[in-house]
């Protein structure tokens, strides 16, 4: 995993501050490949709460994590009971790292 434990904890704290302590966060994509370099931050954020404004929530989380990584590109994938489940959600969980 190519983020520090401190960064992983901070990402989790950001997600919990918005969605509560039951939220789960996976890092997936190139950042879980220790042999790669660079790359954006791909996160799956899963909650058991209904998300009323997913685009707004995603934007809010993206900006907070981008600040943590000094402007590095961040992609947020949301999973919630009222949002359509897609195969990328399963891939992110299977290949990703739970923070």
């Amino acid at each position: 995993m190519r983020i520090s434990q401190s960064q992983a904890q901070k990402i989790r704290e950001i997600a919990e501050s918005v969605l509560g302590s039951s939220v789960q966060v996976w890092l997936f994509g190139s950042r879980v490949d220790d042999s790669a370099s660079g790359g954006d931050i791909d996160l799956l954020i899963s909650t058991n709460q209904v998300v009323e404004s997913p685009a707004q929530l995603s934007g809010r989380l993206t900006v907070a994590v981008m600040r943590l990584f000094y402007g590095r590109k961040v992609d947020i994938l949301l999973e919630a009971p009222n949002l359509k489940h897609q195969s990328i959600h399963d891939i992110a969980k299977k290949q990703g790292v739970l923070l």
Side-chain angles (χ1 to χ4, degrees):
M1 180 170 78
R2 292 183 303 110
I3 64 171
S4 70
Q5 288 299 321
S6 173
Q7 290 168 324
Q9 178 61 33
K10 197 72 169 147
I11 291 169
R12 183 148 178 77
E13 288 171 6
I14 289 168
E16 286 178 355
S17 73
V18 175
L19 292 165
S21 62
S22 66
V23 69
Q24 293 184 309
V25 181
W26 282 267
L27 176 71
F28 68 101
S30 63
R31 287 283 168 159
V32 296
D33 181 357
D34 290 334
S35 66
S37 63
D40 59 355
I41 311 298
D42 298 308
L43 299 170
L44 167 63
I45 299 180
S46 181
T47 180
N48 56 8
Q49 300 176 32
V50 170
V51 174
E52 295 298 328
S53 302
Q56 183 180 5
L57 175 62
S58 180
R60 190 169 155 201
L61 292 166
T62 298
V63 167
V65 176
M66 282 179 73
R67 286 183 181 142
L68 175 65
F69 285 90
Y70 303 103
R72 181 162 302 274
K73 186 175 182 294
V74 175
D75 292 322
I76 302 283
L77 178 62
L78 292 176
E79 182 179 51
N82 65 312
L83 301 178
K84 183 178 178 185
H85 185 82
Q86 299 177 9
S87 59
I88 189 65
H89 293 101
D90 299 325
I91 292 167
K93 287 180 180 178
K94 183 178 179 186
Q95 297 177 0
V97 175
L98 183 63
L99 302 183

